[in-house]
């Protein structure tokens, strides 16, 4: 029996087939191939709601997979630092530790403090701020991050501005002492020569993700102290400085049980948080213990960084894995992608 198909029906059928192929071609798959991760050896398909790991729209949700999760399931997340999740450091400044507990560490203006110190990783923060008349301490914000990864150094900082202009990029980067020129534009990407550091602009200006191979992922937003912030918190911000600063969210891999630092200590398996339940704004001190002499120094009392990490003991209590599908297996970030 012959089946007759009209030309109009054929056009509709071909359009449906084409749409089906394109829809499925756009969906990315992941192979978690980092040994020791809970999802090692498994393929994970991104959901239809967020089929890709990147987007030119900075407000769009993208596919994120935690290869160390016991469930091995993808999530749809915005590629922006979330100030209400563990590993975040935002505001003046408020931290959420690896244990999920909120605390404040004020430090001092124009000084540097160890945020994370491990055998092969050191992350310092430079604090800026001011002290209005009558106050006993500085209001502070994190202006810059200094990162030592094995034998290399990387920094990113927010440029000072009298007034905020969102159409201007306020980020400055350096690698091994040399200033980097990372073109503005969403998805603009820079790799270090050894491919162990990756910087990707999530939007055209003032938002990036820094990936440290097999070590950490750092989501960074650059923001000012707004007039509303000033009114609510009574910062008394001077007219010639809007205190441009960083909002940061860290996701770590392979931290050792001995990791230290203002934030890093909260990821230790034996960490006992001194914060008392019910305290609205718990402040943790120990400024002397975590103070470093510069943004890229490892001379604090609690610093344990060493360029020789051959004897590093890693912990199984890690909060997330890192996936990078932009360069397939060649990127060296432990991922093979298929479409």
């Amino acid at each position: 029996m012959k089946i007759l198909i009209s030309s109009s029906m054929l056009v509709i059928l071909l359009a449906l087939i084409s749409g089906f192929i394109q829809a499925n071609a756009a969906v990315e798959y992941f192979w978690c191939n980092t040994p020791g991760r809970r999802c090692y050896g498994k393929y994970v398909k991104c959901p239809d709601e967020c089929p890709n790991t990147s987007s030119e729209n900075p407000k769009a949700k993208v596919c994120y997979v935690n290869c160390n999760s016991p469930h091995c399931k993808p999530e749809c997340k915005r590629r922006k630092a979330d100030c209400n999740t563990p590993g975040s450091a935002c505001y003046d400044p408020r931290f959420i530790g690896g244990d999920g507990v909120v605390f404040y560490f004020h430090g001092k203006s124009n000084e540097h403090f160890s945020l994370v110190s491990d055998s092969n990783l050191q992350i310092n923060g430079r604090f800026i701020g001011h002290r209005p008349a009558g106050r006993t301490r500085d209001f502070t914000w994190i202006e810059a991050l200094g990162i030592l990864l094995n034998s290399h150094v990387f920094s990113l900082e927010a440029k000072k501005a009298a007034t905020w202009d969102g159409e201007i990029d306020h980020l400055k980067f350096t690698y091994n002492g040399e200033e980097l020129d990372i073109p503005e534009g969403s998805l603009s990407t820079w790799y270090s020569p050894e491919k162990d550091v990756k910087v990707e602009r999530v939007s055209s200006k003032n938002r990036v993700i820094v990936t440290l191979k097999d070590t950490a992922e750092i989501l960074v937003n650059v923001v000012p102290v707004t007039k509303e912030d000033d009114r609510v918190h009574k910062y008394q911000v001077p007219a010639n400085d809007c205190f441009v600063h960083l909002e940061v969210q860290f996701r770590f891999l392979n931290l050792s049980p001995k990791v230290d630092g203002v934030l890093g200590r909260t990821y230790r398996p034996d960490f006992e948080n001194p914060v008392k339940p019910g305290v609205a704004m718990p402040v943790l001190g120990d400024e002397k213990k975590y103070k470093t002499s510069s943004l890229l120094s490892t001379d604090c009392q609690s610093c344990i960084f060493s360029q020789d990490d051959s004897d590093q003991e890693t912990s199984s209590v890690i909060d997330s894995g890192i996936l990078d599908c932009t360069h397939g297996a060649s990127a060296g970030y432990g991922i093979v992608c298929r479409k």
Side-chain angles (χ1 to χ4, degrees):
M1 180 178 66
K2 294 183 178 181
I3 299 177
L4 299 178
I5 301 178
S6 67
S7 59
S8 59
M9 291 178 62
L10 181 60
V11 170
I12 294 173
L13 181 61
L14 290 174
L16 290 172
I17 294 173
S18 176
F20 176 79
I21 293 174
Q22 291 178 7
N24 280 272
V27 176
E28 292 184 347
Y29 290 75
F30 300 100
W31 176 32
C32 292
N33 69 341
T34 303
R37 303 297 97 192
R38 293 174 178 175
C39 304
Y40 175 63
K42 294 186 178 181
Y43 280 100
V44 182
K45 178 184 177 182
C46 288
D48 294 337
E49 308 90 85
C50 56
N52 303 108
T53 58
S54 62
S55 172
E56 293 186 0
N57 179 3
K59 296 182 180 180
K61 290 187 177 182
V62 297
C63 180
Y64 172 80
V65 182
N66 179 357
C67 281
N68 199 38
S69 165
H71 307 293
C72 305
K73 292 183 179 180
E75 302 174 75
C76 293
K77 293 186 175 182
R78 287 187 174 88
R79 306 185 78 196
K80 178 181 179 181
D82 185 346
C83 293
N84 296 309
T85 60
S88 61
C90 303
Y91 314 131
D92 58 345
R94 187 194 76 172
F95 293 83
I96 302 182
D99 56 357
V101 176
V102 174
F103 67 94
Y104 289 78
F105 178 86
H106 297 302
K108 291 184 180 180
S109 178
N110 300 317
E111 292 189 356
H112 307 85
F113 299 92
S114 167
L115 303 183
V116 178
S117 185
D118 211 348
S119 60
N120 69 329
L121 175 67
Q122 178 81 25
I123 303 176
N124 297 333
R126 180 168 71 232
F127 287 37
I128 57 169
H130 79 126
R131 183 181 302 186
R135 287 193 58 84
T136 58
R137 66 166 181 83
D138 298 338
F139 285 117
T140 54
W141 298 270
I142 298 175
E143 182 189 48
L145 295 178
I147 301 169
L148 293 88
L149 180 65
N150 298 323
S151 61
H152 302 288
V153 294
F154 172 83
S155 71
L156 64 89
E157 62 182 275
K159 299 177 184 178
K160 183 177 180 179
T163 58
W164 175 257
D165 185 349
E167 295 304 312
I168 297 175
D169 186 51
H170 295 267
L171 276 168
K172 176 182 176 181
F173 309 91
T174 68
Y175 181 73
N176 287 346
E178 298 292 331
E179 188 169 345
L180 301 178
D181 180 17
I182 302 178
E184 295 180 16
S186 181
L187 305 186
S188 174
T189 304
W190 172 87
Y191 281 90
S192 65
E194 294 81 7
K195 302 289 186 181
D196 55 350
V197 180
K198 171 187 174 184
V199 182
E200 180 183 1
R201 289 190 182 271
V202 183
S203 62
S204 60
K205 304 172 182 69
N206 300 314
R207 191 189 302 175
V208 296
I209 296 179
V210 178
T211 304
L212 310 177
K213 182 182 175 183
D214 299 330
T215 305
E217 184 180 62
I218 309 171
L219 293 78
V220 180
N221 307 327
V222 183
V223 296
V225 174
T226 66
K227 291 183 178 179
E228 180 63 13
D229 293 334
D230 192 19
R231 184 190 68 81
V232 171
H233 299 287
K234 298 179 174 59
Y235 292 136
Q236 300 180 41
V237 170
N240 65 344
D241 196 341
C242 65
F243 292 102
V244 181
H245 60 281
L246 308 179
E247 293 179 341
V248 186
Q249 180 190 352
F250 298 95
R251 296 170 181 161
F252 295 109
L253 279 173
N254 298 326
L255 292 176
S256 79
K258 298 179 181 179
V259 62
D260 214 318
V262 174
L263 178 64
R265 58 182 168 175
T266 66
Y267 286 86
R268 297 175 65 152
D270 60 350
F271 178 68
E272 295 183 6
N273 203 308
V275 171
K276 296 180 180 180
V279 177
M281 292 183 61
V283 178
L284 297 186
D286 289 335
E287 282 89 353
K288 292 183 179 180
K289 183 178 179 181
Y290 299 107
K291 182 181 176 180
T292 64
S293 58
S294 70
L295 186 63
L296 295 171
S297 296
T298 61
D299 54 1
C300 70
Q301 295 177 13
S302 64
C303 290
I304 64 171
F305 175 81
S306 171
Q307 290 186 358
D308 180 12
D309 65 332
S310 58
D311 295 327
Q312 181 181 7
E313 178 187 0
T314 58
S315 170
S316 61
V317 187
I318 303 297
D319 63 341
S320 67
I322 298 172
L323 297 180
D324 175 11
C325 269
T326 57
H327 289 261
S330 63
Y333 286 82
I335 302 301
V336 174
C337 307
R338 291 183 175 181
K339 293 185 178 181

